[in-house]
Amino acid sequence: MSAVPKESHPKNNDSHSNIRTIGERIEGRRSDEIVIAFCGPVGCNLADVIRTIRAQFEEYGYLTEHIKISDIIKDYYRENGLPPRLSKLSLNPSPGKERYTTLQDLGNDLRQRFDFQILAALAMAKVAANRDIAMRKNDIEKPPKTVYIVDQLKHPEEAELFKLVYGNIFYLIGVLSPQNVRFNYLTRTERIPGHDAQFLIDRDRDELRTSYGQKLEKTVQLADYFIRNNQDSISNLLHPCQRFVALVHGKNGVTPTKDESGMYAAYSASLKSACLSRQVGAAIANKEGNIISLGWNDVPKFGGGLYTSDSKNDQRCIYHGGKCYNDIHKSALIQDIVKIVSQKITVTDDVKDELAKLIQKETRAGSIIEFSRAIHAEMEAILGLARSQGNSTDSCVLYTTTFPCHNCARHIIAAGIKRVVYIEPYEKSLALDLHEDAITTDENHVGKTLFETFSGVAPSKYASFFIARGNRKDSSGSAIDIIKTDATHIGTEYLDPYQTIEGKVVQDLMSKVSPSTQPTPPIDVPPPPSSPTPPRAA
């Protein structure tokens, strides 16, 4: 049975009509599935967000499948048994700290034994199995209109694999809560002692000593949409969840917020950076939300501003020796420390090398930014206003793709900037430690500069979410709105590989210009694939 039945059309010399016919048949092979993965720090109460998102998709006529990574982990070990070193763990742990640490330990064990992406692969196996069951149960040859909700990812390579496999039908949603809110949730709602709650928060954020451990902080940076859950009222989650579902269906009239426009401006500015360390962008908006200055991290030039691709004598590091001067001088400093230690204690060259690595990794010496030639994005945005006339930083909002370093933080405070919005955390920053008198992460705390995480559409999805699709009004001038149950997802992926579609298109069109060519068979639905088999323990 074909997804689109073969039609008999009279010969038509109108090439547009012919193309439209094959185009309609190809569209019939468009996937109606969406895969959404969530990531959020421990204590962010992700369950409320997932419940709200799920209800919104069901209003649009989707079936929803909730796939929990925690269940996948426990099912795997029930079938394969616990490894000797983790044999004391229970697969039915008590609520509280034990439940979290057990799943963290078992998840780490799977990544270490198999692959960083193993949990993502096991979740995909579950998606494939659920799809197969639905198609067989309903005796259909095309997967039904379904949203698969994956709860949740904790390592960036898991997110990368989902993006690679599912392409335009995949979204990663990052759910963020202030640390004090999450701490209160763990201690008050889950009754976990304070020191245990803080341990869970720190471990979840980034297990620094293990590459296969929890890397939530790096994972959430890959999100396509950010939701801030302050946990004050579940009703406050309704609007951001409704907005996300409306955006992925191209609802007419949904436009960027001030924060989304500001962060997109910062992101676009970051692309001008040729810094060898990282690309960072910043944008300053006035009280009305208008962008009045941009900045990015790069080498300053004589006369003001930074070197760019338009500079006649570009002296950025990539063209000025092709090396990072901060790394060179930082390495020299560490070697000086090792040399002093070696004068007091006789050590071999191997020990010296190991000592240098430890200093680099375990001390603040490895985090020094003093010797960089580049000016930071936030500083350049502030200086850009200093070089102009008629603008002021007083009570402005600064958007930056990365949390400001402590050096930029002191200038932000002194400039009178009221609020700072960022996406990527910055572990080297001492801003909150050095300036707790002037900086707060609590939006209810007045009298300090507010530093808060970004919420809304990620800059990488800005264009695809907000570009106009189709007609916005009908022939009478009335605005066109979507009917939820008939709405089509904006992301396009087809059930067939592009080589198959390509061959069908060429064969179809060639048959029209060459009568001797055999008629094109319809674009058939291939038999459903068998569900992948999860890897077994070695």
Side-chain angles (χ1 to χ4, degrees), residues 280 282 297 369 374-382 398 400 402-415 417 420 426 429-431 435 439 449 451:
V280 181
N297 58 322
I369 55 176
I375 190 170
H376 288 191
E378 301 93 324
M379 288 289 293
E380 168 58 14
I382 292 172
L398 185 144
T400 176
T402 301
F403 189 96
C405 73
H406 39 275
N407 190 25
C408 286
R410 68 174 69 113
H411 289 84
I412 289 170
I413 296 165
I417 288 172
V420 175
Y426 184 48
S429 180
L430 292 172
H435 300 287
I439 296 175
T449 300
F451 279 46

Side-chain angles (χ1 to χ4, degrees), residues 44-52:
C44 73
N45 196 5
L46 193 60
D48 283 349
V49 182
I50 290 177
R51 193 179 303 113
T52 307

